[in-house]
Amino acid sequence: MGRHETFFPEILDVAALRAKCDFIASAHAEQREPMRQALLAAFKQANIAGRAKARELFYADGAGIQCAERISWLQDQLITVLHDFVLNEIFDAANAPEASRIAVTAVGGYGRGTLAPGSDIDLLFLLPVKKAVWAEPAIEFMLYILWDLGFKVGHATRTIDECIRLSRADMTIRTAILETRYICGSQTLCAELETRFDHEIVRNTGPDFIAAKLAERDERHRKAGDTRYLVEPNVKEGKGGLRDLHTLFWIAKYFYRLKDTADLVKLGVLSRQEYQLFQKAEDFLWAVRCHMHFLTGKSEERLSFDIQREIAEALGYHDHPGLSAVERFMKHFFLVAKDVGDLTRIFCAALEDQQAKDAPGISGLIGRFTHRSRKIAGTLDFVDDGGRIALASPDVFKRDPVNLLRFFHIADINGLEFHPAALRQVTRSLSLIKPALRESEEANRLFLSILTSRRKPELILRRMNEAGVLGRFIPDFGKIVSMMQFNMYHHYTVDEHLLRTVDVLSRIEGGIEEEAHPLVAKLMPGIEEREALYVAVLLHDIAKGRPEDHSTAGAKVARKLCPRFGLSPKQTELVAWLIEEHLLMSMVAQTRDLNDRKTIVDFAERVQSLDRLKMLLVLTVCDIRAVGPGVWNGWKGQLLRTLYYETELLLSGGFSELSRKERAAHAAVMLGEALTDWSEKERDDYVRLHYQPYLLTVALEDQVRHARFIREADAAGKALSTMVRTHQFHAITEITVLSPDHPRLLTVIAGACAAAGANIVDAQIFTTSDGRALDTILVNREFAVDEDEMRRAASIGKLIEDVLSGRKRLPEVIASRTKVKKRTRAFTVTPEVTISNTLSNKFTVIEVEGLDRPGLLSEITAVLSDLSLDIASAHITTFGEKVIDTFYVTDLVGQKVTSENRQMNIAARLKAVMAGESDEARDRMPSGIIAPAPGVSSAHRTTKAES
């Protein structure tokens, strides 16, 4: 990264700019302000034209580093011409003696001779010991011109003594001065600083500087999420980004006293091939960064979804079967980030070796004695070097390629860290992983042992992946290394997600996750096919990025790989089934009515055995947990537990064979008996209010709560009322609404929730025999403290009441409180509508899928209402930018929708709404529902309920 002096005359005609400045000086010799304005205009024009030319050349040649060098060179020329003008024309210091001259130097990234289009300009103004009276006013004049030009200038004005003193105390200042580069002014001052800094600061402090820079890097990684595989990475500060390469450059410059990283090859620190990798990685990251700055017009360092597609296009990526252009671009990005990690590891290994050699006298002797290698029981090929596994000899892998797997296995069983020099040798030996090794029984036995280890399998697998072994040993895994999915649901690349899934499983098995996942923690010890479960967890997404469905393709991959790993035919089929069905339980739990017996029967027919049910539940929990922070919540856990218990009952023969009518009659008796403090007449009158669906699907304790809620509302003469409660473990807040029935009631409730920023996940809709609606809406919990969440829920309930009573108009409320998130604009989700009469015995099930936006649920329910459909339950599931809403509906006489023409009309109307097209039903969306006079009933809901 050492920059040589390069000229880019196509960017700026320096002589012409100087001539213009001379003209301005003569034309405005006696008028300071007009001179300043003319100067500013000349520099503005030169800067805009120069940067436009740099952009044009960049788009033509795609060279990232060269683009940054061109902009840096342009900045140098502007500052140099400005400096000369200020000293000559403003302060008449053209002939000042050398001893009183100032120096203008670049520091930071600018000091390396590179500058991104939107980056800050970091300047260090060096003052002589005896500064001239004009020095600081001249610096101030220059800074104001630069600020007025729109540059973000970071600056310091110091003497050399101050630089040296501050460098001793502050590692950030030390790093900045390490990168000091002369721009203009006194070269003598700049050379003196460089000499003194080298002798007084750098000499004999290499290890301290290295330790500080690596600690700084680790902290930066921790803040950024400690993974290089976040799908919206920070190109500058993230793991595997430009800052990591800069850290290597700083250390190389400081420890090896280099000015050019090419010299690392001469020193034997990097091979020529590794140095070329270094250059390619740096150029690619610079190209991406320059595109980001040009595209956004600012110093944007996060490669967010809304710019990824355009950058992929600018860099020339095209769609391939199974992978879009943007996914191919991001895969390349993550592979480069991985290369940066490899280079860091190689570099650190070389540093450690060098430091060990350089350690002087007795301290070196003690250090070498302390870190003396010890034998490891059961192997002659590897040694324990201070708690880290190292190689006994350089040819360990060449002599026996199985050692590439044994190396990680021995580290696991002995709890050893990895010596960077050993990992470097692993990376350099990847060519030894050939078909013979992949088919080796011993190698596969070792791999399966690593995967199913009861220690930390994810850590060992991660090291294998970083070293490149995992992708070489399992080529199908290699295909998904660094692969991202262009959506807001998945937070990590596919390989990172799979490793995190293994980690969740390991933590569940180790009892660490018992509080968060009580059911799976209880089931895990009883799972007999433990090996098959671990293999399924590692491989469940291995076929992502292929043209065919990844679950089906993944099952085929499993049938090929499992016998190689040593699994039996029975285990192989189990793994293949788990992979093929790995989304089933999640989708059924989140998008189907679990109170509908047909849902459970259909699911049980797919699962067929209790063992499969247990393993599928565990896989589902691990999969959702590993998607990213905030994706798993208690509500999803509750849905999965409900589906598990209901299916377990059916598979074990415990499902009730009583008729629906008999079960409803029994539930009515139970409700009457639970209302102990009510008179017999009150009990009988209240129980008669409810129809079969309510009595069969609502838990008895909730029925009792509802009874008290309705009784209190009636006593207070309230036609509209809401009741709220929250469940911390389930991460859900429940809002119960009592209202006169109306076909668009759910539309209004959903709109009010959208306006309040509440995310609805489920809705149960019931009617009473006196024409009222009792709707229960479940929304995601937002606050950790119950009191805060209850206040939020009460405000949502109040907003629902205001809209229902007509005190507020729904369209205005939605418009004022919601807006489409910028990130979702980057995505397109084709609207899909599926209408089925086979998923439920009583209802037609309508499933809609499309791009989420505020108020969408309200709009969809308005259309369903306009189409004379009665909603019995709604199940709302969000996957990042995509929403899947499922509605259990009947027509107004309680029957399924069987007419094909009517189904086609429903689908067309719903697709139009999801696509954001104008729809008459939306135009007629009500502002509110005024409570009708007592005694007026809603025939359509009553009819449905009686069916």
Side-chain angles (χ1 to χ4, degrees), residues 470-646:
L470 199 52
R472 286 291 187 102
F473 187 66
I474 308 172
D476 286 295
F477 192 92
K479 290 175 185 174
I480 52 92
V481 167
S482 299
M483 181 188 290
M484 69 90 77
Q485 297 158 84
F486 189 63
N487 59 54
M488 284 168 57
Y489 180 62
H490 294 94
H491 294 230
Y492 306 111
T493 56
V494 180
D495 57 325
E496 177 73 7
H497 166 67
L498 292 177
L499 296 179
R500 286 173 180 256
T501 311
V502 171
D503 186 45
V504 177
L505 176 58
S506 174
R507 290 168 64 83
I508 288 170
E509 187 177 35
I512 301 169
E513 299 287 344
E514 191 172 354
E515 190 176 327
H517 306 292
L519 178 56
V520 290
K522 181 181 167 188
L523 295 175
M524 192 66 204
I527 290 176
E528 292 179 13
E529 294 292 358
R530 183 177 168 274
E531 284 185 346
L533 180 57
Y534 269 89
V535 172
V537 163
L538 178 69
L539 302 183
H540 73 271
D541 277 346
I542 200 164
K544 281 276 176 83
R546 304 188 188 198
E548 61 184 310
D549 176 74
H550 81 279
S551 302
T552 308
K556 291 177 188 172
V557 172
R559 289 188 179 97
K560 179 181 70 176
L561 284 176
C562 291
R564 199 191 105 182
F565 292 158
L567 269 59
S568 68
K570 181 188 170 190
Q571 289 175 313
T572 297
E573 278 310 305
L574 179 56
V575 172
W577 182 86
L578 284 168
I579 292 173
E580 192 155 13
E581 302 288 5
H582 77 271
L583 297 174
L584 174 67
M585 196 167 192
S586 170
M587 293 306 291
V588 171
Q590 294 182 77
T591 67
R592 297 287 176 262
D593 188 343
L594 302 183
N595 293 313
D596 191 311
R597 176 166 175 160
K598 187 72 162 57
T599 299
I600 308 303
V601 170
D602 289 351
F603 178 68
E605 283 178 0
R606 290 276 289 275
V607 175
Q608 295 186 343
S609 78
L610 276 172
D611 287 338
R612 279 183 172 186
L613 177 65
K614 291 174 185 175
M615 293 174 77
L616 186 59
L617 174 65
V618 175
L619 171 56
T620 303
V621 169
C622 295
D623 188 13
I624 300 173
R625 271 286 306 275
V627 166
V631 175
W632 173 269
N633 58 38
W635 173 240
K636 288 176 184 171
Q638 181 59 23
L639 291 174
L640 288 168
R641 280 189 293 275
T642 301
L643 179 56
Y644 175 84
Y645 286 129
E646 293 293 324

Side-chain angles (χ1 to χ4, degrees), residues 45 67 219 243 330 338 361 422 442 595 676 695 699 729 859 894:
Q45 185 184 1
C67 177
E219 176 61 18
R243 183 68 82 210
M330 291 305 295
K338 185 176 176 297
E442 174 64 4
N595 293 313
T676 50
L695 294 168
F729 180 68
E859 295 173 28

Side-chain angles (χ1 to χ4, degrees), residues 746 761-765 857 861 871-876 886-888:
L746 183 57
V761 293
D762 213 77
Q764 288 289 340
I765 297 122
L857 178 60
T861 53
I871 303 169
S873 68
H875 310 276
I876 318 304
T886 310
F887 303 92
Y888 282 66

Side-chain angles (χ1 to χ4, degrees), residues 165-216:
R165 178 170 52 79
L166 291 167
S167 293
R168 284 200 181 96
D170 190 317
M171 201 58 78
T172 304
I173 294 174
R174 189 184 302 190
T175 307
I177 293 175
L178 177 70
E179 297 195 291
T180 301
R181 179 177 60 81
Y182 171 78
I183 297 177
C184 58
S186 171
Q187 286 189 336
T188 308
L189 267 182
C190 199
E192 186 185 340
L193 173 62
E194 191 175 331
T195 304
R196 284 190 60 185
F197 183 75
D198 190 51
H199 285 83
E200 297 177 37
I201 301 296
V202 176
R203 185 173 288 173
N204 300 326
T205 60
D208 295 340
F209 183 81
I210 291 168
K213 286 292 120 186
L214 293 180
E216 189 181 282

Side-chain angles (χ1 to χ4, degrees), residues 672 675-686 711:
L675 302 175
T676 50
D677 55 341
W678 294 34
S679 70
E680 191 173 341
K681 183 180 183 308
E682 282 180 316
R683 279 198 301 239
D684 290 345
D685 288 346
Y686 180 77
R711 191 186 200 189

Side-chain angles (χ1 to χ4, degrees), residues 597 656-666 692 696:
R597 176 166 175 160
S656 172
E657 293 302 323
L658 288 172
S659 72
R660 183 181 177 86
K661 191 174 180 181
E662 289 173 312
R663 285 185 289 127
H666 176 68
Q692 278 188 10
L696 291 174

Side-chain angles (χ1 to χ4, degrees), residues 818-822 824-825 852-854:
T818 63
K819 62 179 180 179
V820 178
K821 292 178 182 175
K822 184 183 174 187
T824 61
R825 294 180 198 143
D852 196 15
R853 67 171 183 267

